[in-house]
């Protein structure tokens, strides 16, 4: 199975003779065995099999294997939301007293998780520009730095990460690069091919695609060498798992196995089987949805850039973008469906534009198949003054449009209603 479109449809679940063609929903917390020896072997990780849905579930295994195939990794673990995927991706390799270098252009929820909650746990973060030079990145690295983190295509700034540069610096310092690949999805960008070691996702966005199920995922490339001495938790016996040595016992799958049997065991941010089923179904059409999202968004970007009521647009796959070259390199077939633009006339004009749309709905969500819009200044960033807004790269006239997969003429007709109201 070599082509990515085929993997979307076929990978992750292969029924045996007479079994359901579609992955069944294993709505069960527990699994039945007929001998204590078998259960003992499962707990010793000597035998493969399910024993408790907090650790693994056959329905979740399907999208996990599909995503592993799409990203080109050795294993994946679903989590209950993108937030828990990001947290576990780090807690799996560090603890109090450690440090992370992180792109400053990341999802607001991730920023709070790192900058507030994980700081309370004693983990320190340095936030660097996604456009930082190698010298600037080198300066940010410390002796206790355990990871570098960034978003391939940042939400909401749409900055494109120079994955190869960030990977080079991380590896020069003996630490992994973790990339949140939520916005482009593996259809448009595969960070592991460019040197990323771990990929995380909020599957709540395009992977699900229908805005029906929260979820997250961690994918392990299997390429990072944990045995340098910087990560003793991987090379010394895990007392909480009767002496398991992850690199010795699980080889290339050391990271993702530890994430499951240690982190998920203790934290319990496991996906619901129903949500895993919905995610799997969503991913079956990911390739054709992403193609349409990108084609529609590019048409919308071209339409907006020709309008005299628009002040600026930000779409990395449009030639006007400062990230156009990076986007061409890392996401040559398209980036995603999300566009930011500023209308002339500031906050008031933006509100009038938004309130005049008939089809596009005003929602906080992004990246599903229905066109939707958000005015950050009066919603997610409502508490901030115009001066504070500028400081965090959000502008009063800014509208974020998540272009859906409807007929693009209908999307543009709706935008015209908004522009006519300004
Ligand atoms: C939404 C989002 C998250 C958080 O995911 P949830 O599933 O909402 O917890 C993380 N990273 C990015 C880039 C996102 O867009």
């Amino acid at each position: 199975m070599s082509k990515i479109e085929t993997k979307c449809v076929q990978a992750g679940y292969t029924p045996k003779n007479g079994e359901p063609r579609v992955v069944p929903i294993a709505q069960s917390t527990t699994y039945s065995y007929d001998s204590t020896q078998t259960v003992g072997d499962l707990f010793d990780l000597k035998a493969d099999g399910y024993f408790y849905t907090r650790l693994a579930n056959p329905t979740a295994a399907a999208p996990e294997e599909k995503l592993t195939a799409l990203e080109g990794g050795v294993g994946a673990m679903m989590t209950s939301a993108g937030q828990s995927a990001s947290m576990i991706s780090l807690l799996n390799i560090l603890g109090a007293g450690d440090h992370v270098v992180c792109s400053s252009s990341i999802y607001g929820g991730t920023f709070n998780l790192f900058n507030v909650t994980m700081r309370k746990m004693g983990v320190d973060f340095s936030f660097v520009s996604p456009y930082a030079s190698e010298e600037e990145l080198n300066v940010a690295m410390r002796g206790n730095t355990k990871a570098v983190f960034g978003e391939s295509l940042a939400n909401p700034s749409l900055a494109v990460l120079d994955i190869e540069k960030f990977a080079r610096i991380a590896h020069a310092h003996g630490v992994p690069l973790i990339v949140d690949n939520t916005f482009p999805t593996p259809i448009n960008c595969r960070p592991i091919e460019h040197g990323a070691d771990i990929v995380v996702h909020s599957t709540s966005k395009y992977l699900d695609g229908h805005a029906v199920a929260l979820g997250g995922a961690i994918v392990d490339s299997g390429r990072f060498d944990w045995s340098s001495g910087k990560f003793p938790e991987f090379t010394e016996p895990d007392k909480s798992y009767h002496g398991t040595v992850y690199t010795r016992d699980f080889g290339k799958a050391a990271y993702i196995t530890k994430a499951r049997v240690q982190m998920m065991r203790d934290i319990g941010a496991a996906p619901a089987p129903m949500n895993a089923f919905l995610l799997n179904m969503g991913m079956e059409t990911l390739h054709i949805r992403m193609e349409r999202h990108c084609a529609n968004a590019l048409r919308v970007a071209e339409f907006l850039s020709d309008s005299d009521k628009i002040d600026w647009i930000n779409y990395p796959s449009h030639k006007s973008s400062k990230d156009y070259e990076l986007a061409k390199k890392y996401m040559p077939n398209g980036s995603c469906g999300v566009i930011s633009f500023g209308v002339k006339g500031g906050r008031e004009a933006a509100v009038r534009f938004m309130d005049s749309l008939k089809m596009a709905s005003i929602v906080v969500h992004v990246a599903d198949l229905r066109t939707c819009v958000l005015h950050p200044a009066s919603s997610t960033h409502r508490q901030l003054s115009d001066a504070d807004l500028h400081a965090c790269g959000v502008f009063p006239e800014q509208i974020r449009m998540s272009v859906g997969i409807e007929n693009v003429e209908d999307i543009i007709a709706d935008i015209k209603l908004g522009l006519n109201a300004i």
Side-chain angles (χ1 to χ4, degrees), residues 100-120:
V100 177
V101 171
C102 184
S103 163
S104 57
S105 252
I106 52 169
Y107 175 66
T110 311
F111 182 75
N112 277 327
L113 167 67
F114 292 174
N115 195 46
V116 180
T117 299
M118 288 188 70
R119 266 193 209 281
K120 279 199 288 194

Side-chain angles (χ1 to χ4, degrees), residues 80-84 86 106-107 109-110 151 153-155 180-183 200-205 213-216 365-366:
S80 54
Q83 289 294 95
S84 36
S86 300
I106 52 169
Y107 175 66
T110 311
E151 290 181 7
L153 180 57
N155 175 15
D180 181 334
N181 196 33
T182 297
F183 263 23
V200 296
H201 280 281
S202 165
T203 66
S204 321
K205 314 293 166 52
L214 280 180
H365 195 62
V366 285

Side-chain angles (χ1 to χ4, degrees), residues 263-411:
M263 289 291 113
M264 190 57 93
R265 176 199 64 189
D266 293 354
I267 292 170
M274 181 70 192
N275 285 3
F277 173 84
L278 292 168
L279 171 61
N280 190 61
M281 192 154 72
M283 285 165 68
E284 289 174 346
T285 56
L286 179 66
H287 53 302
I288 48 180
R289 285 188 287 106
M290 290 314 290
E291 194 178 310
R292 181 64 72 89
H293 278 295
C294 292
N296 282 359
L298 192 56
R299 274 287 304 281
V300 168
E302 279 159 2
F303 172 79
L304 290 172
S305 68
D306 287 343
S307 165
D308 57 8
K309 296 199 171 168
I310 299 294
D311 200 10
W312 53 268
I313 69 163
N314 177 14
Y315 184 57
S317 299
H318 188 261
K319 55 189 182 309
S320 65
S321 166
K322 66 180 184 317
D323 285 4
Y324 183 63
E325 291 304 322
L326 277 174
K328 251 197 345 203
K329 172 172 179 181
Y330 289 106
M331 16 200 113
N333 298 326
S335 46
C336 73
V338 182
I339 299 181
S340 262
F341 56 92
V343 295
K344 289 183 183 160
R347 182 186 292 260
E348 203 193 318
V351 169
R352 226 176 291 137
F353 175 93
M354 301 273 297
D355 290 346
S356 305
L357 301 176
K358 288 262 185 301
M359 183 177 75
S361 50
I362 300 175
V363 300
V364 172
H365 195 62
V366 285
D368 73 76
L369 46 75
R370 298 164 203 89
T371 297
C372 58
V373 284
L374 179 77
H375 181 225
S378 58
S379 57
T380 48
H381 295 69
R382 189 178 182 80
Q383 278 78 21
L384 304 188
S385 67
D386 281 6
D388 287 344
L389 281 178
H390 277 97
C392 59
V394 173
F395 304 97
E397 73 279 10
Q398 179 175 347
I399 290 164
R400 181 181 74 185
M401 176 171 270
S402 178
V403 178
I405 61 170
E406 302 93 343
N407 185 296
V408 71
E409 301 303 335
D410 288 333
I411 298 171

